[in-house]
mmCIF file of all heavy atoms in Angstrom:
data_model
loop_
_atom_site.group_PDB
_atom_site.id
_atom_site.type_symbol
_atom_site.label_atom_id
_atom_site.label_comp_id
_atom_site.label_asym_id
_atom_site.label_seq_id
_atom_site.Cartn_x
_atom_site.Cartn_y
_atom_site.Cartn_z
ATOM 1 N N ILE A 1 13.754 -15.505 -11.646
ATOM 2 C CA ILE A 1 12.516 -14.742 -11.855
ATOM 3 C C ILE A 1 11.771 -14.715 -10.518
ATOM 4 O O ILE A 1 11.831 -15.670 -9.725
ATOM 5 C CB ILE A 1 11.652 -15.305 -12.967
ATOM 6 C CG1 ILE A 1 10.462 -14.388 -13.278
ATOM 7 C CG2 ILE A 1 11.190 -16.723 -12.632
ATOM 8 C CD1 ILE A 1 9.664 -14.826 -14.483
ATOM 9 N N GLN A 2 11.065 -13.605 -10.273
ATOM 10 C CA GLN A 2 10.165 -13.531 -9.143
ATOM 11 C C GLN A 2 8.736 -13.584 -9.683
ATOM 12 O O GLN A 2 8.302 -12.709 -10.451
ATOM 13 C CB GLN A 2 10.352 -12.243 -8.347
ATOM 14 C CG GLN A 2 9.393 -12.076 -7.158
ATOM 15 C CD GLN A 2 9.786 -10.969 -6.257
ATOM 16 O OE1 GLN A 2 10.914 -10.852 -5.819
ATOM 17 N NE2 GLN A 2 8.827 -10.070 -5.947
ATOM 18 N N VAL A 3 7.984 -14.587 -9.243
ATOM 19 C CA VAL A 3 6.586 -14.720 -9.658
ATOM 20 C C VAL A 3 5.705 -14.217 -8.499
ATOM 21 O O VAL A 3 5.724 -14.842 -7.431
ATOM 22 C CB VAL A 3 6.229 -16.174 -10.040
ATOM 23 C CG1 VAL A 3 4.763 -16.283 -10.385
ATOM 24 C CG2 VAL A 3 7.103 -16.653 -11.203
ATOM 25 N N ASN A 4 5.035 -13.146 -8.752
ATOM 26 C CA ASN A 4 4.123 -12.569 -7.721
ATOM 27 C C ASN A 4 2.733 -13.139 -7.983
ATOM 28 O O ASN A 4 2.166 -12.969 -9.038
ATOM 29 C CB ASN A 4 4.072 -11.052 -7.896
ATOM 30 C CG ASN A 4 5.484 -10.428 -7.813
ATOM 31 O OD1 ASN A 4 6.264 -10.702 -6.938
ATOM 32 N ND2 ASN A 4 5.778 -9.615 -8.817
ATOM 33 N N VAL A 5 2.198 -13.805 -6.956
ATOM 34 C CA VAL A 5 0.874 -14.416 -7.058
ATOM 35 C C VAL A 5 -0.084 -13.490 -6.353
ATOM 36 O O VAL A 5 -0.067 -13.378 -5.084
ATOM 37 C CB VAL A 5 0.867 -15.822 -6.428
ATOM 38 C CG1 VAL A 5 -0.516 -16.431 -6.575
ATOM 39 C CG2 VAL A 5 1.915 -16.707 -7.096
ATOM 40 N N ALA A 6 -0.962 -12.810 -7.090
ATOM 41 C CA ALA A 6 -1.951 -11.904 -6.502
ATOM 42 C C ALA A 6 -3.139 -12.722 -6.018
ATOM 43 O O ALA A 6 -3.924 -13.240 -6.832
ATOM 44 C CB ALA A 6 -2.342 -10.872 -7.521
ATOM 45 N N LEU A 7 -3.239 -12.876 -4.722
ATOM 46 C CA LEU A 7 -4.235 -13.778 -4.120
ATOM 47 C C LEU A 7 -5.035 -13.025 -3.081
ATOM 48 O O LEU A 7 -4.473 -12.410 -2.179
ATOM 49 C CB LEU A 7 -3.452 -14.948 -3.475
ATOM 50 C CG LEU A 7 -4.199 -16.186 -3.094
ATOM 51 C CD1 LEU A 7 -4.832 -16.874 -4.303
ATOM 52 C CD2 LEU A 7 -3.269 -17.198 -2.409
ATOM 53 N N ASN A 8 -6.358 -13.103 -3.192
ATOM 54 C CA ASN A 8 -7.251 -12.239 -2.436
ATOM 55 C C ASN A 8 -6.779 -10.805 -2.540
ATOM 56 O O ASN A 8 -6.597 -10.086 -1.561
ATOM 57 C CB ASN A 8 -7.343 -12.663 -0.967
ATOM 58 C CG ASN A 8 -8.522 -12.012 -0.274
ATOM 59 O OD1 ASN A 8 -9.519 -11.719 -0.867
ATOM 60 N ND2 ASN A 8 -8.413 -11.791 1.035
ATOM 61 N N TYR A 9 -6.563 -10.400 -3.791
ATOM 62 C CA TYR A 9 -5.983 -9.087 -4.118
ATOM 63 C C TYR A 9 -7.042 -8.182 -4.693
ATOM 64 O O TYR A 9 -7.830 -8.574 -5.568
ATOM 65 C CB TYR A 9 -4.844 -9.264 -5.110
ATOM 66 C CG TYR A 9 -4.290 -7.944 -5.615
ATOM 67 C CD1 TYR A 9 -3.204 -7.356 -4.908
ATOM 68 C CD2 TYR A 9 -4.841 -7.264 -6.678
ATOM 69 C CE1 TYR A 9 -2.724 -6.087 -5.353
ATOM 70 C CE2 TYR A 9 -4.336 -6.055 -7.122
ATOM 71 C CZ TYR A 9 -3.288 -5.467 -6.438
ATOM 72 O OH TYR A 9 -2.797 -4.239 -6.866
ATOM 73 N N GLY A 10 -7.041 -6.948 -4.218
ATOM 74 C CA GLY A 10 -7.867 -5.875 -4.777
ATOM 75 C C GLY A 10 -7.095 -4.554 -4.721
ATOM 76 O O GLY A 10 -6.588 -4.199 -3.635
ATOM 77 N N SER A 11 -6.970 -3.888 -5.819
ATOM 78 C CA SER A 11 -6.103 -2.687 -5.857
ATOM 79 C C SER A 11 -6.615 -1.530 -5.028
ATOM 80 O O SER A 11 -5.829 -0.825 -4.375
ATOM 81 C CB SER A 11 -5.964 -2.253 -7.328
ATOM 82 O OG SER A 11 -5.029 -1.201 -7.395
ATOM 83 N N LYS A 12 -7.926 -1.368 -4.993
ATOM 84 C CA LYS A 12 -8.467 -0.229 -4.228
ATOM 85 C C LYS A 12 -8.152 -0.422 -2.743
ATOM 86 O O LYS A 12 -7.717 0.528 -2.081
ATOM 87 C CB LYS A 12 -9.975 -0.100 -4.441
ATOM 88 C CG LYS A 12 -10.372 0.391 -5.803
ATOM 89 C CD LYS A 12 -11.891 0.532 -5.963
ATOM 90 C CE LYS A 12 -12.298 1.050 -7.324
ATOM 91 N NZ LYS A 12 -13.764 1.175 -7.462
ATOM 92 N N SER A 13 -8.369 -1.645 -2.223
ATOM 93 C CA SER A 13 -8.061 -1.874 -0.787
ATOM 94 C C SER A 13 -6.553 -1.798 -0.538
ATOM 95 O O SER A 13 -6.116 -1.375 0.545
ATOM 96 C CB SER A 13 -8.610 -3.201 -0.324
ATOM 97 O OG SER A 13 -8.059 -4.296 -1.052
ATOM 98 N N GLU A 14 -5.739 -2.193 -1.526
ATOM 99 C CA GLU A 14 -4.312 -2.062 -1.407
ATOM 100 C C GLU A 14 -3.875 -0.634 -1.219
ATOM 101 O O GLU A 14 -3.028 -0.311 -0.375
ATOM 102 C CB GLU A 14 -3.621 -2.652 -2.660
ATOM 103 C CG GLU A 14 -2.098 -2.512 -2.662
ATOM 104 C CD GLU A 14 -1.455 -2.922 -3.975
ATOM 105 O OE1 GLU A 14 -2.127 -2.781 -5.030
ATOM 106 O OE2 GLU A 14 -0.325 -3.376 -3.958
ATOM 107 N N ILE A 15 -4.429 0.280 -2.029
ATOM 108 C CA ILE A 15 -4.102 1.701 -1.924
ATOM 109 C C ILE A 15 -4.559 2.269 -0.622
ATOM 110 O O ILE A 15 -3.834 3.021 0.067
ATOM 111 C CB ILE A 15 -4.708 2.476 -3.113
ATOM 112 C CG1 ILE A 15 -4.067 2.025 -4.444
ATOM 113 C CG2 ILE A 15 -4.532 3.983 -2.966
ATOM 114 C CD1 ILE A 15 -4.784 2.449 -5.703
ATOM 115 N N ILE A 16 -5.792 1.938 -0.184
ATOM 116 C CA ILE A 16 -6.292 2.413 1.129
ATOM 117 C C ILE A 16 -5.382 1.901 2.264
ATOM 118 O O ILE A 16 -5.056 2.681 3.179
ATOM 119 C CB ILE A 16 -7.765 1.912 1.333
ATOM 120 C CG1 ILE A 16 -8.690 2.640 0.385
ATOM 121 C CG2 ILE A 16 -8.213 2.159 2.795
ATOM 122 C CD1 ILE A 16 -10.064 2.049 0.307
ATOM 123 N N ASN A 17 -4.980 0.644 2.168
ATOM 124 C CA ASN A 17 -4.129 0.076 3.182
ATOM 125 C C ASN A 17 -2.767 0.816 3.236
ATOM 126 O O ASN A 17 -2.219 1.057 4.317
ATOM 127 C CB ASN A 17 -3.881 -1.423 2.893
ATOM 128 C CG ASN A 17 -2.976 -2.085 3.928
ATOM 129 O OD1 ASN A 17 -3.333 -2.185 5.076
ATOM 130 N ND2 ASN A 17 -1.821 -2.553 3.475
ATOM 131 N N SER A 18 -2.230 1.168 2.057
ATOM 132 C CA SER A 18 -0.978 1.899 2.005
ATOM 133 C C SER A 18 -1.085 3.240 2.701
ATOM 134 O O SER A 18 -0.240 3.623 3.471
ATOM 135 C CB SER A 18 -0.602 2.102 0.519
ATOM 136 O OG SER A 18 0.580 2.913 0.434
ATOM 137 N N VAL A 19 -2.194 3.976 2.462
ATOM 138 C CA VAL A 19 -2.404 5.271 3.114
ATOM 139 C C VAL A 19 -2.550 5.111 4.617
ATOM 140 O O VAL A 19 -1.987 5.896 5.399
ATOM 141 C CB VAL A 19 -3.637 5.973 2.500
ATOM 142 C CG1 VAL A 19 -3.935 7.275 3.267
ATOM 143 C CG2 VAL A 19 -3.392 6.278 1.013
ATOM 144 N N LYS A 20 -3.245 4.050 5.050
ATOM 145 C CA LYS A 20 -3.374 3.809 6.495
ATOM 146 C C LYS A 20 -1.997 3.549 7.145
ATOM 147 O O LYS A 20 -1.703 4.020 8.260
ATOM 148 C CB LYS A 20 -4.271 2.626 6.746
ATOM 149 C CG LYS A 20 -5.748 2.920 6.549
ATOM 150 C CD LYS A 20 -6.593 1.676 6.775
ATOM 151 C CE LYS A 20 -8.085 1.958 6.638
ATOM 152 N NZ LYS A 20 -8.884 0.742 6.827
ATOM 153 N N LEU A 21 -1.119 2.779 6.458
ATOM 154 C CA LEU A 21 0.212 2.522 6.969
ATOM 155 C C LEU A 21 1.029 3.797 7.066
ATOM 156 O O LEU A 21 1.769 3.987 8.038
ATOM 157 C CB LEU A 21 0.929 1.492 6.060
ATOM 158 C CG LEU A 21 0.433 0.057 6.143
ATOM 159 C CD1 LEU A 21 1.093 -0.792 5.060
ATOM 160 C CD2 LEU A 21 0.749 -0.545 7.519
ATOM 161 N N ILE A 22 0.884 4.658 6.075
ATOM 162 C CA ILE A 22 1.594 5.943 6.056
ATOM 163 C C ILE A 22 1.202 6.789 7.248
ATOM 164 O O ILE A 22 2.017 7.381 7.956
ATOM 165 C CB ILE A 22 1.358 6.675 4.742
ATOM 166 C CG1 ILE A 22 2.093 5.963 3.573
ATOM 167 C CG2 ILE A 22 1.809 8.138 4.807
ATOM 168 C CD1 ILE A 22 1.683 6.449 2.190
ATOM 169 N N LYS A 23 -0.126 6.847 7.489
ATOM 170 C CA LYS A 23 -0.632 7.629 8.635
ATOM 171 C C LYS A 23 -0.156 7.044 9.956
ATOM 172 O O LYS A 23 0.209 7.777 10.872
ATOM 173 C CB LYS A 23 -2.151 7.677 8.551
ATOM 174 C CG LYS A 23 -2.695 8.501 7.393
ATOM 175 C CD LYS A 23 -4.205 8.620 7.439
ATOM 176 C CE LYS A 23 -4.675 9.565 8.471
ATOM 177 N NZ LYS A 23 -6.130 9.788 8.455
ATOM 178 N N LYS A 24 -0.140 5.712 10.033
ATOM 179 C CA LYS A 24 0.331 5.066 11.250
ATOM 180 C C LYS A 24 1.821 5.367 11.521
ATOM 181 O O LYS A 24 2.210 5.548 12.663
ATOM 182 C CB LYS A 24 0.115 3.549 11.120
ATOM 183 C CG LYS A 24 0.365 2.771 12.381
ATOM 184 C CD LYS A 24 0.047 1.296 12.175
ATOM 185 C CE LYS A 24 0.284 0.485 13.445
ATOM 186 N NZ LYS A 24 -0.012 -0.967 13.227
ATOM 187 N N LYS A 25 2.569 5.424 10.420
ATOM 188 C CA LYS A 25 4.001 5.695 10.560
ATOM 189 C C LYS A 25 4.286 7.221 10.740
ATOM 190 O O LYS A 25 5.411 7.632 10.971
ATOM 191 C CB LYS A 25 4.750 5.214 9.305
ATOM 192 C CG LYS A 25 4.729 3.726 9.122
ATOM 193 C CD LYS A 25 5.346 3.293 7.791
ATOM 194 C CE LYS A 25 5.303 1.810 7.578
ATOM 195 N NZ LYS A 25 5.858 1.423 6.255
ATOM 196 N N LYS A 26 3.219 8.006 10.553
ATOM 197 C CA LYS A 26 3.316 9.468 10.702
ATOM 198 C C LYS A 26 4.334 10.052 9.757
ATOM 199 O O LYS A 26 5.186 10.882 10.141
ATOM 200 C CB LYS A 26 3.613 9.856 12.181
ATOM 201 C CG LYS A 26 2.546 9.447 13.108
ATOM 202 C CD LYS A 26 2.851 9.852 14.565
ATOM 203 C CE LYS A 26 1.718 9.419 15.512
ATOM 204 N NZ LYS A 26 1.974 9.781 16.923
ATOM 205 N N ILE A 27 4.261 9.624 8.509
ATOM 206 C CA ILE A 27 5.135 10.161 7.459
ATOM 207 C C ILE A 27 4.226 10.874 6.414
ATOM 208 O O ILE A 27 3.009 10.715 6.427
ATOM 209 C CB ILE A 27 6.020 9.085 6.815
ATOM 210 C CG1 ILE A 27 5.163 7.938 6.250
ATOM 211 C CG2 ILE A 27 7.029 8.580 7.840
ATOM 212 C CD1 ILE A 27 5.969 6.880 5.534
ATOM 213 N N THR A 28 4.877 11.595 5.519
ATOM 214 C CA THR A 28 4.119 12.381 4.551
ATOM 215 C C THR A 28 3.416 11.494 3.528
ATOM 216 O O THR A 28 3.988 10.495 3.054
ATOM 217 C CB THR A 28 5.093 13.300 3.768
ATOM 218 O OG1 THR A 28 5.807 14.094 4.719
ATOM 219 C CG2 THR A 28 4.354 14.232 2.817
ATOM 220 N N ILE A 29 2.178 11.846 3.252
ATOM 221 C CA ILE A 29 1.447 11.110 2.167
ATOM 222 C C ILE A 29 1.875 11.692 0.806
ATOM 223 O O ILE A 29 1.497 12.840 0.476
ATOM 224 C CB ILE A 29 -0.067 11.247 2.351
ATOM 225 C CG1 ILE A 29 -0.523 10.630 3.675
ATOM 226 C CG2 ILE A 29 -0.811 10.586 1.184
ATOM 227 C CD1 ILE A 29 -1.985 10.820 3.985
ATOM 228 N N ASN A 30 2.700 10.964 0.143
ATOM 229 C CA ASN A 30 3.125 11.382 -1.222
ATOM 230 C C ASN A 30 3.284 10.126 -2.088
ATOM 231 O O ASN A 30 3.143 8.999 -1.622
ATOM 232 C CB ASN A 30 4.389 12.206 -1.166
ATOM 233 C CG ASN A 30 5.570 11.464 -0.515
ATOM 234 O OD1 ASN A 30 5.663 10.239 -0.577
ATOM 235 N ND2 ASN A 30 6.453 12.230 0.106
ATOM 236 N N GLU A 31 3.596 10.338 -3.363
ATOM 237 C CA GLU A 31 3.676 9.213 -4.297
ATOM 238 C C GLU A 31 4.709 8.184 -3.914
ATOM 239 O O GLU A 31 4.437 6.982 -3.936
ATOM 240 C CB GLU A 31 4.003 9.777 -5.698
ATOM 241 C CG GLU A 31 3.845 8.729 -6.819
ATOM 242 C CD GLU A 31 4.025 9.337 -8.180
ATOM 243 O OE1 GLU A 31 3.490 10.419 -8.421
ATOM 244 O OE2 GLU A 31 4.621 8.677 -9.049
ATOM 245 N N ALA A 32 5.878 8.646 -3.490
ATOM 246 C CA ALA A 32 6.953 7.742 -3.101
ATOM 247 C C ALA A 32 6.555 6.854 -1.928
ATOM 248 O O ALA A 32 6.805 5.642 -1.921
ATOM 249 C CB ALA A 32 8.210 8.510 -2.808
ATOM 250 N N ASN A 33 5.917 7.469 -0.928
ATOM 251 C CA ASN A 33 5.554 6.697 0.272
ATOM 252 C C ASN A 33 4.366 5.755 0.015
ATOM 253 O O ASN A 33 4.302 4.704 0.637
ATOM 254 C CB ASN A 33 5.254 7.669 1.422
ATOM 255 C CG ASN A 33 6.534 8.250 2.024
ATOM 256 O OD1 ASN A 33 7.561 7.646 1.961
ATOM 257 N ND2 ASN A 33 6.396 9.438 2.631
ATOM 258 N N ILE A 34 3.468 6.127 -0.882
ATOM 259 C CA ILE A 34 2.420 5.225 -1.252
ATOM 260 C C ILE A 34 3.008 3.988 -1.940
ATOM 261 O O ILE A 34 2.671 2.838 -1.627
ATOM 262 C CB ILE A 34 1.340 5.903 -2.137
ATOM 263 C CG1 ILE A 34 0.540 6.914 -1.341
ATOM 264 C CG2 ILE A 34 0.417 4.848 -2.785
ATOM 265 C CD1 ILE A 34 -0.440 7.746 -2.123
#
């Protein structure tokens, strides 16, 4: 089993961080890449 420990976790900042990474990688912002 994989136990994921959500620590100092916030979903809104996670989503924002994902979009920032996508822009940094210069790839398309879509559901799969998020």
Side-chain angles (χ1 to χ4, degrees):
I1 187 172
Q2 178 170 309
V3 177
N4 306 308
V5 181
L7 195 61
N8 195 29
Y9 174 90
S11 186
K12 289 181 179 180
S13 61
E14 176 188 30
I15 294 166
I16 291 168
N17 181 64
S18 176
V19 174
K20 285 180 177 177
L21 287 172
I22 289 168
K23 291 184 75 175
K24 188 176 180 182
K25 294 173 182 177
K26 297 181 180 179
I27 56 178
T28 306
I29 297 175
N30 57 30
E31 190 173 320
N33 285 334
I34 290 175

